[in-house]
Amino acid sequence: DLVVCNISAYGASGPYRDYIGNGWTIEPSSGMSSLLGYDDGPPLNSGTMYSDLVTGYNAAAAILTALHHSGRTGEGQRIDVSMQESNATFIGDAILEYSLSGNVRGRQGNRHLTFAPHGVYPARGGEQWVAIGAESEQQWRALCEIAAQPAWLQDGRFANNGLRKTNEDALNELIATWTADQPRDALAERLALAGVPAAPVLDANEAAADPVFRERGVMVDLQHPETGTQAYAAVPFHFSRTPAVAKTASPTLGQHSAEVFERLLGIDREQYEELVRAGVTGTGPPDG
């Protein structure tokens, strides 16, 4: 009736099963890095090691599902979680495209497969950027109106989305010239209020303090016993009946081992201490 979860770079079976890996190697081997970067440049890693995060979520979901099954049937499960497979979920559409057509999708920078304009453009000040997109003719007209550029509407190269996509380089150059003298946050707000998808590009500290993230509970302050109060990325999704709230910081090494051994395995404190002395468990590296 045990539920056991193993996480490895490439899973317990297959030709890569004996290879080691981490977030930096999983992004390329899953195919994700081949899609990141600009069309005239090399593949790039994301810089945030998505594979670590999505693998943890997948493993947690699998464990909860297995525990639910065990509670109904009494049957345990062994769960084999591959970081490579978990990270491949980010590019499922590109994998499906290749499977059906043989087409290998290239790198696009911040462009969209279908819509134009769609990109990240410079704003006033050093390293200030704003993300802007237009997914309909109405949004495109609103963008031109806010930019005070009726000439863009009259330019035959941009008459519809298909033509804007064909002439995307020229379009992006015009938009970047305009945005470069605009204040980032004010511009994003003006566009959003007009129905144009737009947002400021935030660095890590700005994202942690963002009022929208704070109000929704995506970013929360939690007390950690070793590092003090820190901003944590909590639960980005909400449930209708079950509260999904981050109440505690990440655990320290072995913080709950004694509790788990006693509550789930029936091992008393004396037996637990024997296991600590043997190096089987504990809150730090084994002695010796």
Side-chain angles (χ1 to χ4, degrees):
D1 62 349
L2 289 177
V3 172
V4 178
C5 180
N6 300 114
I7 301 176
S8 61
Y10 301 104
S13 61
Y16 286 5
R17 66 181 183 183
D18 295 324
Y19 285 80
I20 61 174
N22 58 27
W24 293 110
T25 61
I26 297 301
E27 287 194 3
S29 65
S30 68
M32 180 177 177
S33 298
S34 68
L35 301 176
L36 298 181
Y38 297 100
D39 59 358
D40 58 351
L44 296 174
N45 275 11
S46 69
T48 55
M49 291 186 285
Y50 277 102
S51 54
D52 291 343
L53 311 178
V54 70
T55 302
Y57 271 122
N58 282 349
I63 291 170
L64 290 173
T65 304
L67 289 172
H68 179 68
H69 175 79
S70 177
R72 297 176 59 192
T73 66
E75 298 174 349
Q77 294 188 49
R78 176 177 175 268
I79 303 167
D80 175 25
V81 179
S82 160
M83 293 178 68
Q84 183 189 39
E85 291 180 0
S86 296
N87 205 64
T89 62
F90 282 109
I91 60 168
D93 57 331
I95 293 174
L96 183 62
E97 180 181 344
Y98 173 74
S99 299
L100 294 177
S101 68
N103 181 61
V104 178
R105 188 182 300 177
R107 291 174 286 284
Q108 304 176 90
N110 294 300
R111 298 184 179 191
H112 193 277
L113 285 173
T114 305
F115 303 117
H118 188 286
V120 172
Y121 303 93
R124 183 188 303 165
E127 291 300 318
Q128 295 284 294
W129 306 88
V130 60
I132 303 174
E135 301 178 359
S136 68
E137 295 305 313
Q138 181 179 358
Q139 292 172 359
W140 165 242
R141 289 192 295 271
L143 171 61
C144 295
E145 182 177 342
I146 290 175
Q149 291 290 344
W152 294 356
L153 289 173
Q154 299 165 6
D155 193 320
R157 296 174 299 172
F158 313 138
N160 56 52
N161 183 74
L163 288 170
R164 290 195 293 274
K165 191 67 182 171
T166 300
N167 298 286
E168 194 166 12
D169 287 341
L171 177 59
N172 280 339
E173 185 175 345
L174 290 172
I175 294 175
T177 300
W178 164 60
T179 61
D181 193 40
Q182 302 294 318
R184 183 194 70 176
D185 294 355
L187 175 58
E189 183 175 7
R190 286 174 59 205
L191 289 167
L193 289 174
V196 180
V201 177
L202 306 179
D203 63 27
N205 290 329
E206 289 175 320
D210 184 75
V212 175
F213 288 163
R214 288 285 178 169
E215 181 180 352
R216 184 169 173 79
V218 175
M219 299 300 304
V220 296
D221 290 327
L222 297 173
Q223 182 71 25
H224 192 279
E226 294 178 348
T227 63
T229 301
Q230 302 287 343
Y232 277 80
V235 184
F237 39 79
H238 291 181
F239 296 113
S240 59
R241 291 182 294 174
T242 304
V245 180
K247 298 180 179 179
T248 59
S250 52
T252 56
L253 180 62
Q255 179 179 339
H256 304 105
S257 294
E259 175 188 348
V260 170
F261 274 58
E262 180 180 356
R263 180 164 56 88
L264 297 181
L265 302 180
I267 293 177
D268 60 29
R269 175 61 65 168
E270 183 177 349
Q271 292 173 305
Y272 174 75
E273 293 299 337
E274 289 179 3
L275 294 173
V276 172
R277 288 190 290 272
V280 174
T281 186
T283 56
D287 293 335

